[in-house]
Short mmCIF file of all heavy atoms in Angstrom, two decimals:
data_model
loop_
_atom_site.label_atom_id
_atom_site.label_comp_id
_atom_site.label_asym_id
_atom_site.label_seq_id
_atom_site.Cartn_x
_atom_site.Cartn_y
_atom_site.Cartn_z
N ALA I 80 11.23 -24.66 -8.56
CA ALA I 80 11.48 -23.93 -7.30
C ALA I 80 11.67 -22.44 -7.56
O ALA I 80 11.17 -21.60 -6.80
CB ALA I 80 12.71 -24.51 -6.60
N LEU I 81 12.37 -22.10 -8.64
CA LEU I 81 12.53 -20.68 -8.98
C LEU I 81 11.19 -20.04 -9.36
O LEU I 81 10.93 -18.88 -9.01
CB LEU I 81 13.55 -20.52 -10.11
CG LEU I 81 15.00 -20.80 -9.73
CD1 LEU I 81 15.89 -20.79 -10.97
CD2 LEU I 81 15.48 -19.78 -8.71
N ALA I 82 10.36 -20.79 -10.06
CA ALA I 82 9.03 -20.27 -10.39
C ALA I 82 8.20 -20.04 -9.13
O ALA I 82 7.53 -19.00 -8.98
CB ALA I 82 8.31 -21.22 -11.34
N LEU I 83 8.26 -20.99 -8.20
CA LEU I 83 7.54 -20.82 -6.92
C LEU I 83 8.08 -19.63 -6.14
O LEU I 83 7.31 -18.83 -5.59
CB LEU I 83 7.66 -22.10 -6.08
CG LEU I 83 6.90 -23.31 -6.59
CD1 LEU I 83 7.29 -24.54 -5.79
CD2 LEU I 83 5.40 -23.06 -6.50
N PHE I 84 9.38 -19.50 -6.12
CA PHE I 84 10.01 -18.37 -5.43
C PHE I 84 9.54 -17.05 -6.03
O PHE I 84 9.15 -16.12 -5.32
CB PHE I 84 11.54 -18.50 -5.51
CG PHE I 84 12.28 -17.37 -4.88
CD1 PHE I 84 12.35 -17.25 -3.50
CD2 PHE I 84 12.91 -16.40 -5.67
CE1 PHE I 84 13.03 -16.20 -2.91
CE2 PHE I 84 13.59 -15.36 -5.09
CZ PHE I 84 13.66 -15.25 -3.71
N ALA I 85 9.55 -16.97 -7.36
CA ALA I 85 9.13 -15.73 -8.03
C ALA I 85 7.66 -15.43 -7.74
O ALA I 85 7.30 -14.28 -7.47
CB ALA I 85 9.36 -15.86 -9.54
N MET I 86 6.81 -16.46 -7.78
CA MET I 86 5.38 -16.24 -7.49
C MET I 86 5.16 -15.67 -6.10
O MET I 86 4.42 -14.71 -5.91
CB MET I 86 4.61 -17.57 -7.59
CG MET I 86 4.15 -17.91 -8.96
SD MET I 86 3.05 -19.33 -8.93
CE MET I 86 4.21 -20.67 -8.99
N TRP I 87 5.82 -16.28 -5.10
CA TRP I 87 5.60 -15.84 -3.72
C TRP I 87 6.22 -14.48 -3.45
O TRP I 87 5.64 -13.66 -2.73
CB TRP I 87 6.10 -16.91 -2.74
CG TRP I 87 5.11 -18.02 -2.65
CD1 TRP I 87 5.15 -19.21 -3.30
CD2 TRP I 87 3.89 -18.02 -1.91
NE1 TRP I 87 4.04 -19.96 -3.00
CE2 TRP I 87 3.25 -19.25 -2.14
CE3 TRP I 87 3.28 -17.10 -1.06
CZ2 TRP I 87 2.03 -19.59 -1.56
CZ3 TRP I 87 2.06 -17.44 -0.47
CH2 TRP I 87 1.46 -18.67 -0.73
N ILE I 88 7.38 -14.19 -4.03
CA ILE I 88 7.99 -12.87 -3.84
C ILE I 88 7.10 -11.79 -4.46
O ILE I 88 6.85 -10.75 -3.85
CB ILE I 88 9.41 -12.82 -4.45
CG1 ILE I 88 10.37 -13.66 -3.62
CG2 ILE I 88 9.92 -11.40 -4.57
CD1 ILE I 88 10.57 -13.18 -2.19
N ILE I 89 6.60 -12.05 -5.66
CA ILE I 89 5.72 -11.08 -6.30
C ILE I 89 4.44 -10.90 -5.48
O ILE I 89 3.96 -9.78 -5.29
CB ILE I 89 5.42 -11.50 -7.75
CG1 ILE I 89 6.68 -11.28 -8.60
CG2 ILE I 89 4.24 -10.74 -8.33
CD1 ILE I 89 6.60 -11.84 -9.99
N ALA I 90 3.89 -11.99 -4.97
CA ALA I 90 2.68 -11.89 -4.15
C ALA I 90 2.93 -11.06 -2.89
O ALA I 90 2.10 -10.22 -2.51
CB ALA I 90 2.18 -13.28 -3.78
N ILE I 91 4.07 -11.28 -2.24
CA ILE I 91 4.40 -10.52 -1.02
C ILE I 91 4.58 -9.05 -1.35
O ILE I 91 4.05 -8.17 -0.64
CB ILE I 91 5.65 -11.11 -0.34
CG1 ILE I 91 5.32 -12.48 0.25
CG2 ILE I 91 6.20 -10.17 0.72
CD1 ILE I 91 6.54 -13.27 0.68
N LEU I 92 5.28 -8.75 -2.42
CA LEU I 92 5.48 -7.35 -2.81
C LEU I 92 4.16 -6.69 -3.18
O LEU I 92 3.91 -5.53 -2.81
CB LEU I 92 6.47 -7.26 -3.97
CG LEU I 92 7.92 -7.63 -3.63
CD1 LEU I 92 8.77 -7.63 -4.90
CD2 LEU I 92 8.49 -6.67 -2.60
N LEU I 93 3.31 -7.38 -3.90
CA LEU I 93 2.01 -6.82 -4.26
C LEU I 93 1.12 -6.62 -3.03
O LEU I 93 0.36 -5.65 -2.94
CB LEU I 93 1.30 -7.71 -5.28
CG LEU I 93 1.89 -7.67 -6.69
CD1 LEU I 93 1.24 -8.74 -7.56
CD2 LEU I 93 1.73 -6.30 -7.31
N TYR I 94 1.20 -7.55 -2.08
CA TYR I 94 0.44 -7.40 -0.83
C TYR I 94 0.87 -6.13 -0.10
O TYR I 94 0.04 -5.34 0.35
CB TYR I 94 0.63 -8.63 0.05
CG TYR I 94 -0.07 -8.51 1.37
CD1 TYR I 94 -1.44 -8.75 1.46
CD2 TYR I 94 0.61 -8.13 2.52
CE1 TYR I 94 -2.10 -8.63 2.67
CE2 TYR I 94 -0.04 -8.00 3.73
CZ TYR I 94 -1.40 -8.26 3.80
OH TYR I 94 -2.05 -8.12 5.00
N HIS I 95 2.18 -5.92 0.00
CA HIS I 95 2.68 -4.70 0.67
C HIS I 95 2.31 -3.46 -0.12
O HIS I 95 1.97 -2.42 0.46
CB HIS I 95 4.19 -4.79 0.88
CG HIS I 95 4.57 -5.71 1.99
ND1 HIS I 95 4.28 -5.46 3.31
CD2 HIS I 95 5.20 -6.90 1.98
CE1 HIS I 95 4.71 -6.44 4.06
NE2 HIS I 95 5.28 -7.35 3.27
N ARG I 96 2.35 -3.55 -1.43
CA ARG I 96 1.94 -2.42 -2.27
C ARG I 96 0.48 -2.07 -2.01
O ARG I 96 0.14 -0.91 -1.82
CB ARG I 96 2.14 -2.76 -3.75
CG ARG I 96 1.64 -1.72 -4.70
CD ARG I 96 1.70 -2.27 -6.15
NE ARG I 96 0.79 -1.57 -7.00
CZ ARG I 96 -0.47 -1.93 -7.24
NH1 ARG I 96 -0.96 -3.00 -6.69
NH2 ARG I 96 -1.23 -1.23 -8.04
N ASN I 97 -0.38 -3.07 -1.98
CA ASN I 97 -1.80 -2.83 -1.73
C ASN I 97 -2.03 -2.25 -0.34
O ASN I 97 -2.89 -1.39 -0.15
CB ASN I 97 -2.61 -4.11 -1.92
CG ASN I 97 -2.67 -4.53 -3.37
OD1 ASN I 97 -2.36 -3.76 -4.27
ND2 ASN I 97 -3.05 -5.78 -3.61
N ALA I 98 -1.25 -2.72 0.64
CA ALA I 98 -1.37 -2.17 2.00
C ALA I 98 -0.95 -0.71 2.03
O ALA I 98 -1.59 0.12 2.70
CB ALA I 98 -0.53 -3.00 2.99
N LEU I 99 0.11 -0.36 1.32
CA LEU I 99 0.55 1.03 1.27
C LEU I 99 -0.48 1.91 0.55
O LEU I 99 -0.72 3.05 0.97
CB LEU I 99 1.90 1.14 0.57
CG LEU I 99 3.10 0.62 1.37
CD1 LEU I 99 4.35 0.62 0.50
CD2 LEU I 99 3.31 1.43 2.63
#
Side-chain angles (χ1 to χ4, degrees):
L81 289 173
L83 290 171
F84 178 74
M86 274 189 274
W87 282 98
I88 290 297
I89 288 171
I91 290 168
L92 292 174
L93 288 172
Y94 177 80
H95 285 293
R96 174 188 157 269
N97 291 345
L99 288 173

